[in-house]
Amino acid sequence: MADRKQPQLTGQWIAVDQVHPVRGMLHGARQPSMLTAIRLAAQPQELPSLTRGLTRLLEVCNAVTGDRADPQSGTWATCMAQLVRVIDSFLQPVGIAVADNTRVLHVAPDETCATRPSLLQLPVMPGSPRINVDALARIVRLVDLAMAGTARDALSDEVESVLAALTLGYPVTPTLLLLLRGATDLGIPFSTIAPNCFQFGQGSRSRWFETTFSDRTPSISVRLARDKAMSNVRMRQAGLPVPQQQFAPSEEQAVKAAELIGYPVVVKPGDEDQGRGVTADLQTEEELRDAWRKAFKISRNVIVEKHFQGRDYRMVVHNGELLWTVERVPAGVTGDGRSTVAKLVDTTNADPHRGTRRNSLLRPVHLDDEALLLLERQGLSVDAVPEAGRFVRLARIANVSRGGTPVQVNDEVHPDNRVLAIDAAQALRLDLAGIDLLIPDIATSWHESGAAICEVNAGPQIGGMTAAHLGRQFIGTTVEGDGRIPVIAVIGDTPDGGFAASLASALRARGLRAGHHDATGVWLGEKLVVGKRLGALAGGEVLLTNLECDAAIISYNDDDVMINGHASDRIDWLVVAGQHLGGESGDEAAFRARFGRLVSTVAQQCTGTFAVLSDSGFARPDRIVGGEGMTMSPDTPTRDEAIERIVADVM
C-alpha cells in the first residue's frame, strides 16, 4: 500500500496511485523491485502532447538511444514506454538499476488510462525502496516542468539537481556498485545483509563484502593499515622501503620534526583516507605550519614525514596477486600555447567525467591557494599562457579525490615492483590492499631507483575511470563459480513437508548438506533451525544465508510470494507436490484459481525443470510461462522418481 508519509506522487500529467516494495524477487526479476500503479492524470485526448513532453525530457536526460516516438500518434502505451526510459535514465546512473531495468507489466487501454491503473515494476536496491519513491516523486515533477514548456537549460538544471539528490540519498558506494555490476555480469546473485554490506552467492558458496572488506579480511590488519604510523613501523619491520616519519602533536613539534627529518616534508593525518588533510613537498617552515594547522583540524593524530620525489602509483593486490596499477597524475593542465591557465582549468573541468557527485569518476581541478603557490613556483600565474605540451601542476598530491587523473600502467610494472606491492599487502596480511607507491618510474626496479611505500590501504576504493573491470575480476576470483547452490521449489506439499523432507534426506545421503523449509519450520540436516511456520521468502533467506547449506528446498504453501517475492532469483527445479495451501477456501473454483496463480508466479522464477507429481491432484499444464530456459518434465513422475531425477541433476 502507499505510504502515508511518501512524497507527493500525483502531478498534473502522471498520477501514482500505489507503490508496493517487494523485498524478494518477483515476475522473473533478478533484484528486488517496487510495483507501481500509474494513471494518466490528464485527459486521454492529450496523450500526443504528453508523448512530445516525455520525448523532450528524455532528450534533456540524454536517454534517447533510438528513434523518437512519433508525436502525432501518441498512445498511453507509448507514454508508458517513454516514462520507463525517463525512470531508467535516473535509476541507472545512480546505480539502483543493477541487474534489472524498469518494466511495464500491464498497460491500460487509451480510453481508460485515466481511470484504470497500469503497472510498472521498478528495480530496487535491497533495503532501499524509499529512494525509488523519492525518484518517482521527482520524476513526476519533472514531467510537469517539461509539459509546462520550461526552458531547456532550466530543465537540464532540474535534471542535474534530481541526480545529485538521489546520489546523495543512496547509501551504496561507487566501489560497491562496481562489485554489484560485476556480479551481475557473471550471473552471481546478491542480497543485502546490512547497509553497504552485501552477500554475493548463496549458502555455502557465498561471501560477504562491505565495499571491498570481505568476511575474510582480518580486523587487526585493517586497524594496522588505518594507523599510518603503525603501518609504517610494520613495513619497516618487514624490510620494505618507507619514508622516515614522526608524530607531531603540536605545531612546534612539527617544526622540530621537519628540521630533524630534513625538508622537503609531508604533513598528514595519521588516520584519514583519500588524501584528506595531506600536504606534500613542504619546503619552508611557513608552509609546514600552515599544513600542520590544516591537518590538525581534521585529526589530532598528525604525522610529519620525509617527502620522496617520485611519481605516484596505486597498486591493487588481491590474494597475493597484483590485479591493477595506475599512475595518479596530479591535478593540473597541459598548455596549448594559446589559452591561459584559468581557461585550461575551465576546459578540463568541462569534462563530463569530472563532477562533485559521489559517483563522478573524476573531481574538478581547483585554483585554490595551493594551486596558486605551485603556479608561483613554476613561474606562472592564472593569466599566464603555458607553451604547448607543458604540464602545469596544480596540486601537491595526486589523489583522484583532489582532482588527479588515473592512467593505467599495469603492463609497465617491473617484476621487482610487482613483488614489492605483493609483499606490502602480505606484511599486513590483507586479502585486498591498495599500495600507494612513490617511485621515479614504475618500469624500473625499485632496487635501482629507490622507492617509498607511503600508505597501504585496507578496503581500497576501485575507480571506474580505468578499473571498472576490477569489480567483475574481484568478485569472479573470490566467489566460487557462479556462487549458486541448487534451489528447489516445492508447491502444495503436505503440511509435514513430506516431499521436501524426503528430498533433503536423499541429497544428504549423497553428501550434500541440504536444508529444507516447510510448514513446520526450517531444517538444516537433522537440526531444526526455526521451529515455526515462515513464508517462502523468510524461510529461503534462512537457508541461502547459511554457510552450512549446500542445497535449499523451499516450500510454497500460501500467498506469501505474491506479497514478498522469492529469496532466490533462480529456481533449478519446481515441483508441484500437492494442492495444500494455508487458508484454503471452501469455494473450489476460487481455490483452483488461487493455486493456479501461485504456480504461475513461482514458474516465472524457474530456469530449470518444472515437474508435476503423479499423485499431486494438479493437472499438468500443457503450457506455462516460466523463466528463461525452463523446461517441462515430459511426464508426471512419482515422488521417488522425482527425487531420483533431482538428486542426479544437482549432484
Side-chain angles (χ1 to χ4, degrees), residues 619-640:
R620 177 181 177 275
D622 294 328
R623 182 179 180 277
I624 191 167
V625 178
E628 183 177 355
M630 189 189 82
T631 59
M632 293 281 293
S633 172
D635 58 1
T636 54
T638 66
R639 291 174 176 256
D640 289 343

Side-chain angles (χ1 to χ4, degrees), residues 551-625:
I553 304 161
I554 304 172
S555 295
Y556 293 79
N557 292 315
D558 54 33
D559 297 325
D560 174 75
V561 66
M562 307 291 191
I563 301 170
N564 295 313
H566 304 262
S568 175
D569 62 331
R570 295 184 194 171
I571 293 171
D572 299 295
W573 272 81
L574 169 55
V575 178
V576 179
Q579 296 189 75
H580 299 278
L581 285 184
E584 296 179 13
S585 169
D587 186 332
E588 183 176 350
F591 171 78
R592 290 192 175 277
R594 177 183 168 213
F595 192 83
R597 285 194 301 272
L598 175 61
V599 172
S600 297
T601 299
V602 179
Q604 292 177 48
Q605 227 69 36
C606 180
T607 58
T609 304
F610 178 5
V612 177
L613 299 187
S614 57
D615 62 348
S616 67
F618 181 73
R620 177 181 177 275
D622 294 328
R623 182 179 180 277
I624 191 167
V625 178

Side-chain angles (χ1 to χ4, degrees), residues 279-290:
T279 309
D281 196 17
L282 300 167
Q283 300 182 8
T284 67
E285 181 178 324
E286 182 182 0
E287 291 177 5
L288 172 74
R289 289 181 180 275
D290 288 342

Side-chain angles (χ1 to χ4, degrees), residues 79-366:
C79 291
M80 287 287 283
Q82 295 283 68
L83 182 61
V84 162
R85 294 168 70 187
V86 169
I87 292 171
D88 284 341
S89 71
F90 290 97
L91 300 189
Q92 288 172 354
V94 170
I96 296 172
V98 174
D100 294 312
N101 288 323
T102 303
R103 294 189 294 171
V104 179
L105 298 182
H106 167 71
V107 181
D110 285 0
E111 57 270 20
T112 59
C113 66
T115 56
R116 298 182 59 186
S118 300
L119 190 62
L120 295 183
Q121 184 179 24
L122 280 64
V124 171
M125 190 53 67
S128 304
R130 294 297 307 174
I131 276 290
N132 290 65
V133 176
D134 187 25
L136 269 181
R138 294 173 184 274
I139 289 169
V140 166
R141 178 175 176 273
L142 284 174
V143 172
D144 285 348
L145 290 175
M147 295 302 297
T150 303
R152 186 182 182 90
D153 288 347
L155 192 58
S156 180
D157 289 344
E158 289 289 338
V159 168
E160 182 66 28
S161 175
V162 169
L163 280 171
L166 294 178
T167 301
L168 184 64
Y170 186 44
V172 175
T173 66
T175 293
L176 190 47
L177 280 177
L178 289 180
L179 302 187
L180 293 170
R181 287 168 176 154
T184 298
D185 291 343
L186 295 169
I188 296 173
F190 58 82
S191 57
T192 298
I193 298 300
N196 262 328
C197 181
F198 281 75
Q199 174 173 303
F200 293 85
Q202 300 169 331
S204 60
R205 301 182 76 185
S206 65
R207 297 292 302 276
W208 285 2
F209 294 94
E210 184 179 48
T211 308
T212 51
F213 293 115
S214 80
D215 49 14
R216 297 178 188 175
T217 303
S219 61
I220 190 170
S221 299
V222 174
R223 289 198 301 272
L224 280 173
R226 285 178 170 169
D227 187 325
K228 292 180 173 59
M230 290 304 300
S231 177
N232 182 279
V233 170
R234 174 61 194 130
M235 292 294 107
R236 191 180 302 279
Q237 185 184 52
L240 303 177
V242 290
Q244 183 182 356
Q245 60 178 215
Q246 285 194 7
F247 277 118
S250 72
E251 189 173 329
E252 294 308 318
Q253 286 174 297
V255 173
K256 291 179 181 179
E259 291 173 348
L260 179 64
I261 293 172
Y263 289 95
V265 295
V266 177
V267 169
K268 62 184 180 182
D271 48 13
E272 290 290 333
D273 297 319
Q274 299 183 342
R276 287 187 290 268
V278 179
T279 309
D281 196 17
L282 300 167
Q283 300 182 8
T284 67
E285 181 178 324
E286 182 182 0
E287 291 177 5
L288 172 74
R289 289 181 180 275
D290 288 342
W292 184 90
R293 288 192 289 267
K294 174 183 173 184
F296 194 71
K297 289 180 180 178
I298 297 174
S299 169
R300 295 298 181 263
N301 183 17
V302 180
I303 293 172
V304 175
E305 179 179 275
K306 179 64 178 176
H307 176 81
F308 184 91
Q309 192 63 43
R311 293 154 72 179
D312 191 321
Y313 296 91
R314 164 59 66 89
M315 309 176 79
V316 179
V317 175
H318 181 227
N319 288 337
E321 178 186 357
L322 180 64
L323 293 186
W324 201 239
T325 302
V326 295
E327 179 180 0
R328 300 190 293 190
V329 179
V333 294
T334 301
D336 60 9
R338 302 184 307 275
S339 306
T340 65
V341 171
K343 177 62 177 176
L344 291 170
V345 168
D346 289 341
T347 301
T348 298
N349 288 336
D351 181 347
H353 290 123
R354 292 190 184 271
T356 56
R357 292 204 305 269
R358 184 176 54 177
N359 58 359
S360 297
L361 297 179
L362 297 173
R363 297 296 174 184
V365 176
H366 296 291

